Amino acid sequence: MNQKSKEIESIYPLSPLQQGLLFHSLSTPDYDMYFQNSSYKLHGHLNLHNFEKAWQTVVSRHAVLRTLFIWEDYQKPLQIVCKSVNLPWENYDWRDLSPVEQQAAVETFLQADREKGFQLDRAPLMRCSVIRLADDIYEFVWSHHHLLIDGWSSSTILKEIFALYEANDKEENLYLPLPRPYKDYVTWLQQQDLALAETFWQRTLQGFTAPTQFGDKSGSNLSNSKDNYGVQQIRLSMAVTKDLQALVKKYRLTLNTLMQGAWGLLLHHYSGQSTVVFGTTVSGRPANLIGVESMVGLFINTLPVCAKISRAADLVTWLQELLAQQVEREQYAYSSLVDIQKWSELPRGSSLFESLLVFENYPEISPQEHFKNLEISNSHFFERNNYPLTILAETSPELSLGIGYDSCRFDDATIAQILEHLQKLLL
């Protein structure tokens, strides 16, 4: 134990969302819950040694990337930061396979990688693989557990990787400011006034006594198959996207508020309830925490949106009220979903919501600005959460709408219809 203690940099509690993700990951061990992998096609000359070196440098820079989690024999789970870890890295050469065989092999590799998962009590909860498909074409796969980082942090990491790789390739030293550790954010969380948050959430959810119901084809239990998760996506045209952007600018709204309004109206239509509640994600990065923009970790949080539908209300006025609620809700973005559930009037054990709306608005990377000898394309991302229905909206640059769903609860036709209805509301 003394030898092990020499390898430990720090020990501290989990953030509220980390607690939730750990619970769901442990309670559904046969699923790839909150496992994330991203794959990128790289075109050009790739110096594998310098690329791996850049990744190892980033792991050394950010404490959360050297973190493991312990929970057995402890009243509350803890996260332990190791002083150093070696990032698992594998290189493959599939140049002897045909393009069709390569595509099939990549799909098989990604599926096997997801099934492999991570042991949450061993660091690092991250690994990388590079697959060479041609002399100047590579498939890069980055896998990690969502317990470590959010989308904003992923963008920060990739920007650092690109900068470090270029410096390594030129045999130059690159100075990057020392980032604040994730532990500082957890300390900030512990200093917040839960009494104020409790008052806010009790007022927000007053009178809400049952989760919003919507039609599905079966009960709420997951099947015994790992293949019970589906994804469907549509992309709106650039013209429609620009019209929506002009609309929200005219009425001083945001696309996020517009999406929340559209989903609230759909839930009202499906459930027949005048008050609907669904989940949304917030950045969770407090403006009064110095250096938070460059910190790497899991800052996002999941919070309930309570939308009251009134046929008499003017649509724009109603959307502006939704935006005002969103701004006020941000002040209590540190609230734990477990606490919010406890403060609500719902029966113990009930879920506050079964659908989650995620609007991706973190800074996008521009790889071409950093990789001088490489072009990056065909990026793909996989993640599964514990909600039966997840609506993902993002602009890149057209507005795309995707739905991830438990296919034991929803059939493909139902999801296609939901996407069609959502699109009609936005047109």
Side-chain angles (χ1 to χ4, degrees), residues 221-236:
N221 293 325
L222 293 169
S223 76
N224 294 323
S225 170
K226 283 189 175 183
D227 300 324
N228 65 338
Y229 192 72
V231 178
Q232 293 188 39
Q233 187 178 41
I234 60 174
R235 187 177 296 275
L236 305 186

Side-chain angles (χ1 to χ4, degrees), residues 376-394:
I376 301 180
S377 63
N378 297 343
S379 61
H380 297 281
F381 178 77
F382 172 86
E383 181 197 358
R384 175 177 182 171
N385 60 38
N386 61 290
Y387 295 101
L389 208 61
T390 300
I391 302 88
L392 176 64
E394 58 182 338

Side-chain angles (χ1 to χ4, degrees), residues 44-88:
H45 172 70
L46 178 65
N47 185 314
L48 288 172
H49 172 76
N50 287 339
F51 193 44
E52 181 177 354
K53 182 180 177 183
W55 277 93
Q56 187 63 56
T57 300
V58 168
V59 170
S60 299
R61 276 176 50 76
H62 298 287
V64 74
L65 302 181
R66 294 177 269 111
T67 295
L68 58 88
F69 298 83
I70 56 174
W71 56 90
E72 293 181 347
D73 303 323
Y74 292 90
Q75 186 175 5
K76 289 186 176 182
L78 298 170
Q79 49 190 324
I80 298 178
V81 178
C82 301
K83 289 182 179 178
S84 65
V85 296
N86 291 319
L87 177 65

